[in-house]
């Protein structure tokens, strides 16, 4: 849990400082110190609330994935791939929704799914969808990304984890990288770790979201 709060705090700090820096330009010097402190706290609380909302989305997906044994083996991948597609289609503020599983865990059919659209080159189940130009697209994962922090950290902590901000590109050919954070939760079935599910959120979204949050009556943050 400490990892979660440290990561979330860093995201809050980055966004809050950017906003506070703008606000300080608009207040007199004798009020700057107190206003900066209060504004930083307010913005921090608001960003924390946004992150908690998205954490609930991830944990809801985890609960659904934990029921995979109740679905016929040959239907598990189509069912959950469609579920993730629907999830991101209904949430335009989320950059990406994805899941990565340990080899031959969801159905034991990795060999039959090599290079499938929701699998890696080895057939490992790893569905991923992202928004691009107003359209939901599948992200192709060449090799299992078991060494990346978005997999290793939740696997080690066995808790929902908010990653520190990082640059990422969903299309390696475009070179369009986005500054984002990921909220990732482990999937644990019968005390066994089988994979992770996560969502990506851009820091730009969190900054823009502040404009819609009322702080004092009808006053909004800009």
């Amino acid at each position: 849990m400490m990892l979660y709060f440290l990561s979330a705090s860093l995201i809050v700090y980055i966004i809050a400082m950017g906003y506070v820096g703008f606000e300080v330009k608009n207040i007199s010097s004798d009020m700057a110190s107190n206003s900066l402190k209060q504004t930083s706290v307010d913005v921090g609380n608001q960003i924390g609330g946004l992150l908690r909302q998205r954490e609930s989305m991830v944990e809801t997906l985890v609960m659904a994935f934990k029921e995979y044994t109740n679905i016929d083996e040959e239907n598990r991948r189509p069912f959950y791939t469609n579920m993730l597609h629907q999830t991101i289609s209904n949430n335009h503020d989320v950059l990406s929704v994805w899941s990565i599983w340990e080899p031959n865990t969801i159905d034991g059919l990795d060999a039959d799914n090599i290079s499938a659209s929701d699998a890696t080159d080895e057939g490992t189940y790893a569905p991923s969808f992202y928004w691009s130009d107003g359209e939901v697209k599948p992200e192709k994962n060449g090799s299992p990304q078991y060494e990346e922090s978005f997999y290793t950290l939740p696997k080690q902590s066995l808790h929902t984890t908010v990653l520190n901000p990082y640059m990422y590109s969903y299309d390696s050919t475009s070179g369009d990288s986005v500054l984002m954070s990921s909220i990732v939760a482990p999937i644990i079935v019968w005390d066994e770790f089988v994979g992770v599910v996560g969502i990506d959120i851009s820091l730009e979204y969190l900054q823009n979201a502040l404009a819609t949050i009322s702080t004092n009556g009808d006053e909004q943050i800009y």
Side-chain angles (χ1 to χ4, degrees):
M1 291 299 290
M2 183 60 68
L3 174 64
Y4 171 86
F5 288 113
L6 287 176
S7 300
S9 296
L10 179 57
I11 296 170
V12 169
Y13 176 80
I14 291 173
I15 297 175
M17 288 303 99
Y19 172 73
V20 169
F22 173 80
E23 284 294 298
V24 169
K25 295 179 182 178
N26 299 313
I27 58 180
S28 60
S29 59
D30 60 332
M31 297 175 60
S33 179
N34 289 336
S35 179
L36 186 149
K37 290 178 182 178
Q38 185 57 52
T39 302
S40 180
V41 170
D42 291 343
V43 173
N45 289 338
Q46 292 161 5
I47 294 297
L50 290 171
L51 291 175
R52 284 191 292 273
Q53 290 176 6
R54 291 307 171 217
E55 179 187 355
S56 297
M57 176 190 294
V58 174
E59 293 180 346
T60 297
L61 290 173
V62 167
M63 292 177 62
F65 273 116
K66 285 184 176 181
E67 301 299 320
Y68 75 95
T69 56
N70 294 324
I71 302 173
D72 291 340
E73 192 174 53
E74 65 273 14
N75 293 324
R76 291 172 189 172
R77 297 192 189 214
F79 176 85
Y80 287 112
T81 298
N82 182 62
M83 182 181 70
L84 292 183
H85 187 277
Q86 290 183 336
T87 297
I88 190 171
S89 297
N90 294 331
N91 292 277
H92 292 258
D93 54 309
V94 173
L95 281 177
S96 176
V97 177
W98 48 274
S99 184
I100 304 174
W101 286 63
E102 292 281 292
N104 288 304
T105 48
I106 192 169
D107 53 19
L109 300 175
D110 285 10
D112 297 329
N113 288 275
I114 293 175
S115 297
S117 60
D118 56 1
T120 67
D121 292 343
E122 289 83 0
T124 307
Y125 187 54
S128 178
F129 294 99
Y130 67 100
W131 282 105
S132 178
D133 298 325
E135 180 182 355
V136 174
K137 297 181 179 180
E139 180 189 12
K140 187 66 178 72
N141 295 310
S143 300
Q145 298 174 305
Y146 296 137
E147 303 303 320
E148 299 292 341
S149 58
F150 49 72
Y151 194 86
T152 59
L153 293 179
K155 182 177 182 179
Q156 293 168 358
S157 69
L158 298 181
H159 290 293
T160 300
T161 302
V162 180
L163 298 186
N164 290 332
Y166 62 99
M167 299 296 296
Y168 186 81
S169 175
Y170 296 103
D171 184 355
S172 58
T173 62
S174 69
D176 295 332
S177 297
V178 180
L179 180 60
M180 66 174 70
S181 176
S182 298
I183 304 176
V184 194
I187 305 170
I188 304 171
V189 180
W190 297 316
D191 296 325
E192 179 183 0
F193 173 87
V194 297
V196 299
V197 61
I199 64 172
D200 300 334
I201 302 175
S202 71
L203 264 65
E204 181 181 6
Y205 155 71
L206 292 175
Q207 289 176 316
N208 292 338
L210 294 177
T212 64
I213 301 176
S214 176
T215 55
N216 292 300
D218 294 329
E219 180 183 352
Q220 291 187 328
I221 296 177
Y222 290 96

